[in-house]
Amino acid sequence: EGGGQLGCTNSEATNYNAEAIQDDGSCEFNIALSTQVTTCGGIFVDSGGSLADYGSNENQQITIFPENFGEYVFLDFSEFELESSIWDNMTIFDGEDTNAPVLINGVGLSELLNQTVYASPTNESGSLTITFSSDGSGNYPGWVADIGCTTYGPCFGFDVDVVTTYETEEGSSDATATVEITLGNEPF
């Protein structure tokens, strides 16, 4: 039912499929092939893509914008392996360009492995700008990060769990109620 060819339907992706009618979430956005993309899905990769190492003497920059007003981009790094940040490094800015506040400064090695980086709620564009540079040798696998978007509502920033138990026998004093408030839930 539904049918239609599956594939990447975002024309800004490196693996865009013009024949695809239904997006399958496979869109890949390569830092070396785009300077600006608008998406809330797919993966963000280094110049070697998801399967090869990045190159030597790179100096790349990309800005990822959310699809809709009121959304904020996040990157969830499932792979991250760079040479030491002395030689190869990534910086992530909280906005449309490198004049925006720095969220992550000059990381290398595996510092962002299994980390998620979010555009802040004060970032009016909701975008993230990423720069990457490499030296002339020692290339590594680079990174793969899922791209997503989030929103920040008026109650963002805490979780509340209410746990109750009831009296096992009427009139007994074994009833309890617990409210657990956790401040600083994801993304903070």
Side-chain angles (χ1 to χ4, degrees), residues 8 10-16 27-45 61-68 71-75 95-97 125-130 143 145-149:
C8 174
N10 187 320
S11 62
E12 297 174 317
T14 54
N15 62 331
Y16 169 64
C27 293
E28 187 171 287
F29 300 91
N30 187 307
I31 194 169
L33 301 176
S34 298
T35 58
Q36 178 178 310
V37 297
T38 301
T39 188
C40 285
I43 60 171
F44 170 54
V45 296
Q61 179 176 324
I62 189 171
T63 301
I64 304 172
F65 288 90
E67 293 172 347
N68 300 299
E71 292 179 333
Y72 300 84
V73 171
F74 67 83
L75 298 172
E96 304 180 21
D97 55 38
S125 69
S127 64
L128 292 174
T129 296
I130 303 95
W143 66 86
D146 288 324
I147 303 169
C149 293

Side-chain angles (χ1 to χ4, degrees), residues 131-150:
T131 61
F132 173 72
S133 62
S134 63
D135 67 356
S137 63
N139 302 338
Y140 282 67
W143 66 86
V144 174
D146 288 324
I147 303 169
C149 293
T150 190

Side-chain angles (χ1 to χ4, degrees), residues 2-89:
Q5 182 166 340
L6 294 175
C8 174
T9 60
N10 187 320
S11 62
E12 297 174 317
T14 54
N15 62 331
Y16 169 64
N17 181 347
E19 296 176 11
I21 296 170
Q22 192 173 1
D23 196 274
D24 64 359
S26 69
C27 293
E28 187 171 287
F29 300 91
N30 187 307
I31 194 169
L33 301 176
S34 298
T35 58
Q36 178 178 310
V37 297
T38 301
T39 188
C40 285
I43 60 171
F44 170 54
V45 296
D46 60 84
S47 63
S50 57
L51 302 176
D53 294 355
Y54 58 81
S56 298
N57 301 310
E58 290 193 21
N59 189 16
Q60 311 288 356
Q61 179 176 324
I62 189 171
T63 301
I64 304 172
F65 288 90
E67 293 172 347
N68 300 299
F69 179 77
E71 292 179 333
Y72 300 84
V73 171
F74 67 83
L75 298 172
D76 184 21
F77 289 90
S78 58
E79 297 177 31
F80 193 88
E81 185 179 354
L82 307 181
E83 190 175 18
S84 168
S85 62
I86 296 168
W87 298 288
D88 300 347
N89 63 73

